Amino acid sequence: MSYENLAEIIKNSDNIVFLGGAGVSTESNIPDFRSADGLYAAKNEYGYPPETLISRSFFDRNKEVFYDYYKKNLICLDAKPNPAHYALAELEKIGKLKAVVTQNIDGLHQMAGSKKVYELHGSVHRNYCMKCHRFYSAEDIMAMEGVPCCKCGGVIKPDVVLYGEGLDDAVWNGAYSAIKNADVLIVGGTSLVVYPAAGLVGIYRGDKLVLINKSETSYDNQASIVVNDKIGVVLSE
């Protein structure tokens, strides 16, 4: 596939939506979950798989271990946006991209300048006291020893969707509507195996589905364009 085909689709549309996964952030040196070098493959000292460590049930019963793992592996304050993030922000700025729908929790899309971002799984940058709902930043959380606690004495919880929790209805509905009404859907950096996020591709009604991922996906045979490469390379090109 020549990049000219993708460039032509982008040039001729002003109603593009981007659906992205962990592969968008790996180029910013944030580990993903399912690759050979991802968090699921890495050994940890806790004796539990990552799916357990970042589940709501584990948070409720063992907050100290949860936060130790969470701070070490999911908060990456030194990470910076990469060319994919900046390219998407520029497409929004010139009126072509209507929304970014992301499974990532790192806030890099907003850091790059994107305004309309639906964060399906929440964000490490938002944290709230479970008692009084006071807001705390990721920097606040990292500065606290052990289990972060509010001034009121309540435990602080990240605004991140843990295993066993449902997605936020307003975020889901916004993402659903954006994708359903898009003329072009660009899917990047995701293997499309995590539901319900992967199911969003199925509600797209248009005929210009673009898939950019280093490996094959189950939707490749339905796409207008498939590019097996790093998304930062493709979008910046």
Side-chain angles (χ1 to χ4, degrees):
M1 196 288 295
S2 68
Y3 286 3
E4 287 77 13
N5 295 341
L6 176 55
E8 189 68 18
I9 285 178
I10 293 173
K11 178 182 177 181
N12 293 327
S13 177
D14 60 1
N15 186 10
I16 303 170
V17 171
F18 177 80
L19 171 62
V24 179
S25 293
T26 53
E27 293 173 53
S28 294
N29 296 317
I30 293 179
D32 63 8
F33 285 88
R34 290 173 171 77
S35 71
D37 300 321
L39 294 178
Y40 286 180
K43 291 184 179 180
N44 67 66
E45 69 269 34
Y46 304 98
Y48 300 95
E51 301 99 310
T52 298
L53 288 164
I54 51 176
S55 67
R56 178 57 191 260
S57 60
F58 194 85
F59 172 84
D60 287 338
R61 71 175 186 268
N62 201 334
K63 294 178 177 62
E64 190 165 340
V65 174
F66 167 88
Y67 263 113
D68 192 60
Y69 181 83
Y70 176 78
K71 289 180 180 181
K72 289 178 180 176
N73 294 279
L74 274 74
I75 300 181
C76 305
L77 295 182
D78 293 334
K80 303 297 180 186
N82 63 57
H85 297 106
Y86 286 117
L88 291 166
E90 181 62 23
L91 286 175
E92 181 183 29
K93 184 178 179 180
I94 63 177
K96 291 191 168 294
L97 187 75
K98 296 307 181 191
V100 168
V101 179
T102 180
Q103 300 173 67
N104 299 331
I105 59 175
D106 48 53
L108 293 182
H109 285 292
Q110 292 92 329
M111 196 181 299
S114 290
K115 305 298 183 186
K116 194 68 171 180
V117 182
Y118 294 104
E119 296 173 306
L120 294 176
H121 297 153
S123 173
V124 299
H125 296 284
R126 297 188 302 269
N127 305 270
Y128 297 96
C129 172
M130 298 175 71
K131 186 176 180 181
C132 74
H133 308 295
R134 183 190 297 268
F135 170 85
Y136 289 88
S137 69
E139 288 81 2
D140 294 330
I141 297 302
M142 293 300 288
M144 296 180 187
E145 296 289 337
V147 178
C149 288
C150 179
K151 296 175 182 178
C152 77
V155 173
I156 300 168
K157 182 187 178 295
D159 188 15
V160 169
V161 179
L162 305 177
Y163 283 99
E165 293 185 318
L167 304 188
D168 180 87
D169 285 342
V171 173
W172 175 261
N173 291 337
Y176 187 101
S177 178
I179 290 175
K180 181 179 179 181
N181 295 310
D183 292 334
V184 177
L185 178 61
I186 301 176
V187 181
T190 173
S191 53
L192 294 174
V193 297
V194 178
Y195 284 82
L200 287 168
V201 180
I203 67 167
Y204 171 59
R205 302 290 181 84
D207 59 359
K208 297 178 180 66
L209 174 62
V210 178
L211 299 181
I212 307 170
N213 197 49
K214 288 196 292 185
S215 59
E216 295 180 354
T217 79
S218 59
Y219 283 90
D220 283 7
N221 61 349
Q222 300 178 37
S224 305
I225 295 175
V226 177
V227 186
N228 294 129
D229 203 347
K230 291 182 177 180
I231 187 162
V233 172
V234 176
L235 291 183
S236 59
E237 187 74 22

